[in-house]
């Protein structure tokens, strides 16, 4: 894998950071439950991750206002592989997705008083994040990311 990051402050009050991760995680020689998994990607290992964060701070009268945005991307990944019949397997995959958060903060009295309005998962992406096989019960348990959340 490879990871790289960058930070910049191109204007007074504006801070930007970005990161990129590349991963090529594969089984080299693996027998999992009698199934040859050699050459397959490891579960829960997206090939690409990226994030960018930006914040802008400005004095507004007696207060300081900060607008922050954070966006993260994750490429598609295989969450699980399971045998549906002898010799036949299927994969549970999640497509790539973006998560975006937005925050507006007002601070006063030398930052002793702060009020923030926050939107987490602004576009309401709810990706599949994990799968737990429960073959003895005849089903799989699926977990999804949290929905959009607003806060004050």
């Amino acid at each position: 894998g490879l990871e790289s990051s960058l930070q910049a402050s191109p204007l007074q009050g504006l801070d930007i950071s970005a990161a990129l991760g590349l991963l090529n995680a594969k089984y080299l020689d693996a027998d999992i439950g009698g199934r040859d998994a050699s050459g397959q990607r490891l579960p829960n290992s997206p090939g690409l991750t990226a994030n960018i964060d930006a914040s802008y701070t400005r004095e507004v009268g007696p207060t300081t206002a900060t607008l922050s945005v954070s966006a993260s991307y994750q490429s598609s990944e295989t969450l699980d592989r399971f045998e549906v019949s002898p010799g036949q397997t299927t994969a549970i995959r999640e497509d790539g997705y973006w998560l975006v958060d937005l925050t507006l903060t007002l601070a006063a009295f030398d930052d002793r008083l702060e009020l923030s309005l926050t939107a987490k998962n602004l576009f309401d992406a709810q990706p599949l994040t994990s799968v737990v096989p429960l073959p003895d019960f005849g089903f799989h348990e699926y977990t999804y990311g949290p929905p959009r959340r607003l806060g004050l």
Side-chain angles (χ1 to χ4, degrees), residues 63 67 72 75-76 80 107 123-124 128 144 147:
T63 64
L67 179 63
S72 61
S75 66
S76 64
D80 191 20
F123 300 112
D124 203 24
L128 181 61
Y144 293 86

Side-chain angles (χ1 to χ4, degrees), residues 1 13 24 28 38-39 49 59 76 78 83 86 88 90 94 99 112 116 118 124 126 128 133-138 141:
N24 188 15
L28 295 178
S38 301
T49 56
E59 299 295 323
S76 64
T78 299
E83 192 168 25
Q88 182 181 4
T90 190
E94 176 58 48
L99 295 175
R112 289 179 287 166
S116 293
T118 303
D124 203 24
Q126 293 182 30
L128 181 61
L134 300 167
D136 292 342
F137 297 102
E141 177 182 273

